[in-house]
Amino acid sequence: MEQLLEKLLYDELYGVGENKEGEYIINTLNKVMLRLLENCNPTKSLVALIELLRNHKNDKITSLITKCILKLNRIICLLYTSPSPRDLSTSRMPSSACKKKKKNNK
């Protein structure tokens, strides 16, 4: 993860190639980082990012790590608030809330 973040900050990649190949490489690296955040264990990813943040003092990389942490936070929130396919047929409310709702509807 650290090496990928460092590659994203390599400014000279933008100037690679006559047909903007460098920009394509940067876009691809961004997509790889996003897929890592979406598909890896969120807790382990968060721990790794926080450890990287503690070890780096460079403004550019700390800014990038912070953006990754914020993105991971949004991913984690979606994981825990989105209904799973098996939940679509039932209510997401706790059973006590369902009972109160039924009483109020009568």
Side-chain angles (χ1 to χ4, degrees):
M1 191 178 285
E2 182 176 12
Q3 291 176 354
L4 182 57
L5 289 169
E6 288 172 353
K7 299 287 187 252
L8 284 167
L9 294 174
Y10 191 59
D11 290 332
E12 294 182 17
L13 271 179
Y14 285 101
V16 171
E18 295 176 6
N19 297 317
K20 300 184 179 181
E21 287 92 346
E23 287 182 31
Y24 178 75
I25 293 169
I26 294 290
N27 287 336
T28 302
L29 291 174
N30 272 316
K31 289 175 185 175
V32 168
M33 179 54 91
L34 182 59
R35 295 302 171 261
L36 274 173
L37 293 174
E38 290 173 343
N39 296 307
C40 289
N41 180 307
T43 303
K44 290 181 180 179
S45 297
L46 185 59
V47 169
L49 287 167
I50 290 171
E51 189 63 30
L52 286 173
L53 196 57
R54 292 176 65 201
N55 293 335
H56 288 278
K57 305 298 180 212
N58 178 335
D59 287 337
K60 283 186 176 183
I61 198 160
T62 55
S63 174
L64 187 56
I65 294 168
T66 303
K67 288 177 185 178
C68 290
I69 290 172
L70 292 172
K71 180 65 178 176
L72 184 59
N73 185 48
R74 285 191 293 271
I75 292 168
I76 291 170
C77 287
L78 286 174
L79 282 175
Y80 291 104
T81 59
S82 298
S84 68
R86 64 180 162 75
D87 289 339
L88 292 177
S89 61
T90 61
S91 173
R92 302 258 310 158
M93 284 190 224
S95 59
S96 60
C98 290
K99 289 176 186 175
K100 288 178 185 176
K101 189 174 179 183
K102 287 179 183 178
K103 283 182 182 179
N104 290 339
N105 286 339
K106 288 183 179 181

